[in-house]
Amino acid sequence: MDTGYRFLEPEALARVKNLSLVARGVVEGFISGLHASPYKGFSIEFAEHREYVPGDDPRHLDYKMLARTERLYIKQYEEETNMRVQILLDTSGSMNYRHSAKITKLEYGCYLTAILSYLMIRQQDSVGLTTFDTEIRLDMPPRGSARHFNEMMRQLEAIQPGGETDISQTLHRLANRFKRRCLIVLISDLYDDPEEVMRGLHHFRHRRHEVIVFHVFDKAELELPFKDTIAFHDLETDERIQIDPAYIREAYLEQIREFTETYRRQCAESQIDYIMTDTSVPYDFMLSRYLAKRNRL
């Protein structure tokens, strides 16, 4: 089966079809089932239509749409969603790195974004997408319709890597904009000052958002497998420097361990889910393991 979209692979969808992403706290939504909600009825503000699926209450069918299109649609209102999910995808130059893996970190992030979005729409939640480097390049608010999902998949295919990154300031700007509680999913290599990035993530937690961080590396960044003197190229600043890997390997690996451990420790202290992965790990297997563990907890 061909989904028609590059980052939506049928084999990966089959592996996660029985999984769900459940909110840990109360979410500002309506539909009963997966998530606890503080709302007890429909908002009066109409938002959009979505296609009818078996199990929907027929009282909310739009019969005018049925007459015009001969298809069944449900009226959705502003509060009629289990969970609002906003995926923040880092598209800076460093995300375009690839050593021996088949895909770059950015492509890995796109695959992960696609499969997460599919899960959200399938469980009748809403999902949005924000891409950024030093600036916000794309900002699609959460929606739950098939049309919105298809547009997200098209936008993923059009993404181009940017230049430098400013993760912390981007997080602060976005935290001030999201008024309603939602689930924030950050996909990034987090190449910024960890203390500043954590301040940005704390901003989301302060505003009562739930946060998941997928920290994506290329395996070479974790192991420094190079043997001969090579020219390292900074994909964000375009700077180049000649280095003997044997001379710096021990110090480099210690810095990487400290870098990731800082994020792991501070995320745990802030009740933020932190998942470190690299592009050699199939994204669907990584996600399946994480969701299974999360749902058990």
Side-chain angles (χ1 to χ4, degrees):
M1 180 188 69
D2 183 3
T3 65
Y5 296 112
R6 175 189 173 192
F7 295 113
L8 204 60
E9 298 182 308
E11 298 83 0
L13 299 184
R15 292 189 187 104
V16 302
K17 65 180 180 180
N18 295 322
L19 297 174
S20 60
L21 178 54
V22 181
R24 288 193 171 138
V26 172
V27 299
E28 299 183 18
F30 173 83
I31 302 173
S32 62
L34 289 177
H35 319 284
S37 170
Y39 295 99
K40 301 301 181 184
F42 280 100
S43 162
I44 61 172
E45 186 175 356
F46 171 74
E48 61 182 5
H49 290 92
R50 65 168 171 80
E51 291 192 48
Y52 172 85
V53 295
D56 285 335
D57 191 333
R59 290 177 299 175
H60 305 308
L61 285 170
D62 189 329
Y63 291 98
K64 291 183 179 179
M65 285 288 288
L66 174 61
R68 290 201 303 268
T69 67
E70 297 185 350
R71 299 180 68 176
L72 295 175
Y73 288 93
I74 293 286
K75 285 186 177 181
Q76 285 192 292
Y77 298 81
E78 284 299 330
E79 311 303 350
E80 190 194 354
T81 179
N82 277 350
M83 180 167 59
R84 296 164 63 88
V85 180
Q86 191 72 28
I87 300 175
L88 314 182
L89 178 60
D90 182 352
T91 60
S92 60
S94 65
M95 290 289 286
N96 199 39
Y97 178 68
R98 177 183 67 181
H99 173 50
S100 59
K102 294 181 180 179
I103 57 176
T104 66
K105 292 182 288 183
L106 180 53
E107 289 171 321
Y108 192 92
C110 288
Y111 281 112
L112 185 54
T113 297
I115 200 167
L116 279 168
S117 302
Y118 167 82
L119 287 176
M120 295 301 98
I121 297 297
R122 192 198 61 185
Q123 66 188 39
Q124 298 186 40
D125 290 325
S126 61
V127 61
L129 174 62
T130 301
T131 66
F132 67 93
D133 46 30
T134 53
E135 302 291 337
I136 294 171
R137 302 300 178 182
L138 172 69
D139 198 14
M140 299 179 67
R143 292 285 185 268
S145 67
R147 175 191 292 181
H148 175 76
F149 175 75
N150 290 336
E151 181 59 25
M152 281 185 63
M153 296 304 100
R154 286 191 287 269
Q155 291 290 345
L156 280 178
E157 294 185 9
I159 285 175
Q160 296 294 323
E164 297 184 52
T165 189
D166 191 349
I167 301 173
S168 58
Q169 290 305 309
T170 299
L171 295 179
H172 285 300
R173 288 198 297 269
L174 291 171
N176 285 325
R177 287 168 49 185
F178 297 152
K179 304 303 182 185
R180 293 178 54 196
R181 280 180 287 174
C182 59
L183 172 61
I184 303 297
V185 178
L186 173 61
I187 303 173
S188 172
D189 56 16
L190 301 180
Y191 282 145
D192 202 344
D193 182 343
E195 298 298 327
E196 293 299 322
V197 173
M198 289 308 304
R199 288 191 183 96
L201 294 174
H202 289 153
H203 197 165
F204 282 110
R205 294 295 292 135
H206 177 73
R207 298 182 71 91
R208 304 174 69 189
H209 301 294
E210 188 174 352
V211 180
I212 300 172
V213 174
F214 289 99
H215 196 174
V216 181
F217 288 95
D218 185 283
K219 193 173 184 179
E221 294 174 306
L222 299 174
E223 298 180 351
L224 200 68
F226 314 104
K227 293 181 172 59
D228 300 322
T229 299
I230 58 172
F232 281 90
H233 177 204
D234 188 320
L235 294 172
E236 295 190 3
T237 66
D238 206 35
E239 182 182 0
R240 296 174 185 270
I241 184 171
Q242 292 283 126
I243 291 179
D244 181 354
Y247 181 73
I248 67 164
R249 180 171 286 109
E250 185 175 344
Y252 172 85
L253 293 178
E254 179 59 28
Q255 285 192 342
I256 281 289
R257 282 191 291 269
E258 291 180 2
F259 181 66
T260 57
E261 185 54 35
T262 296
Y263 279 118
R264 190 188 310 278
R265 182 183 65 255
Q266 294 197 24
C267 283
E269 292 171 354
S270 303
Q271 295 183 304
I272 294 171
D273 281 10
Y274 172 82
I275 306 94
M276 190 185 82
T277 188
D278 69 74
T279 54
S280 71
V281 179
Y283 65 94
D284 51 333
F285 285 106
M286 178 275 296
L287 183 61
S288 297
R289 287 198 302 267
Y290 163 65
L291 291 180
K293 178 180 178 181
R294 175 187 171 92
N295 292 342
R296 284 197 303 271
L297 295 174

